[in-house]
Amino acid sequence: MTDDANAPWLIVGLGNPGPEYAGNRHNIGFMVVDLLAERIGGKFKRAQKAQAQVVEGRLGPVGPANRRVVLAKPMSYMNLSGGPVTALRDFYKVPTAHVLAIHDELDIDYATLRLKLGGGDNGHNGLKSMTKSMGPDYHRVRCGIGRPPGRMQVADFVLKDFSSTERKELDWFVDRSADAVECLVTEGLERAQSAYNA
């Protein structure tokens, strides 16, 4: 463990603000942090130093694995997420390795998870913005949404709500994603990867 072992975690759900985007595939990050906020009994409020909504609390079992966390939803729109996330990281004195982004991932089948540290942005505008602001060395929980059908454009696909078929599994998927986040933060990346990476 590093000296940062007791530092808080900044858990960022990526998405777009506003009710018209709430059910979009692109907003699965928001859905997961909303559930995590529910689990810790917190309500999102406007951040003092950043264009974001935050909840502060503790995640995990009582004892040494219990972690101080800041859950965040940038309110800047997806492609400008880096500014608010970096401002929150600096305000809460979070090491970059304790920043965790939850986001939709086109190259993974629907309802499948992959967890990792660092790497490229794979064309994801939220990650691109975060990496530009703070470098690539943050954790990611990649929530698979699959590729668009037929000739549908990627931008149209991610900004559409989940299909009725997908919605049958959505609650389970969001719940499992939240479990994966909790496992990563309290037990470490390797343990979380072996439990949740499909």
Side-chain angles (χ1 to χ4, degrees):
M1 294 294 249
T2 67
D3 298 334
D4 296 329
N6 296 317
W9 280 79
L10 175 60
I11 300 171
V12 182
L14 293 180
N16 287 308
E20 68 273 34
Y21 297 107
N24 289 181
R25 293 182 178 94
H26 225 17
N27 270 41
I28 191 149
F30 275 18
M31 296 173 197
V32 176
V33 289
D34 282 341
L35 178 58
L36 287 166
E38 224 174 90
R39 288 184 181 182
I40 66 175
K43 287 212 179 327
F44 279 97
K45 62 182 195 301
R46 202 174 187 76
Q48 291 177 335
K49 302 287 182 185
Q51 194 181 353
Q53 290 185 350
V54 294
V55 174
E56 295 176 56
R58 301 195 79 89
L59 202 55
V62 175
N66 189 259
R67 294 282 177 263
R68 193 154 63 91
V69 297
V70 180
L71 306 175
K73 296 193 287 190
M75 292 286 116
S76 57
Y77 290 99
M78 181 70 85
N79 57 357
L80 298 172
S81 301
V85 175
T86 304
L88 290 170
R89 180 198 65 174
D90 295 347
F91 179 71
Y92 288 103
K93 299 179 171 53
V94 175
T96 301
H98 275 211
V99 176
L100 191 163
I102 308 161
H103 64 91
D104 58 308
E105 178 64 66
L106 287 159
D107 285 337
I108 301 174
D109 289 340
Y110 177 66
T112 300
L113 289 174
R114 294 267 202 296
L115 286 67
K116 68 174 191 170
L117 172 63
D121 57 55
N122 207 18
H124 191 288
N125 288 331
L127 296 181
K128 201 174 284 185
S129 179
M130 282 180 62
T131 297
K132 191 175 174 188
S133 287
M134 67 171 82
D137 299 324
Y138 52 91
H139 285 84
R140 299 104 190 272
V141 171
R142 305 159 73 206
C143 303
I145 59 169
R147 302 292 303 179
R151 293 168 180 252
M152 188 189 287
Q153 294 295 309
V154 164
D156 294 333
F157 180 68
V158 299
L159 293 176
K160 277 199 170 29
D161 287 2
F162 287 99
S163 70
S164 54
T165 307
E166 289 169 333
R167 279 199 295 272
K168 289 174 187 163
E169 276 190 277
L170 186 58
D171 286 349
W172 172 86
F173 185 27
V174 169
D175 197 56
R176 184 171 164 78
S177 302
D179 289 347
V181 169
E182 202 164 324
C183 184
L184 193 158
V185 167
T186 59
E187 299 184 53
L189 179 62
E190 277 184 41
R191 170 82 189 86
Q193 283 176 327
S194 67
Y196 293 96
N197 273 16

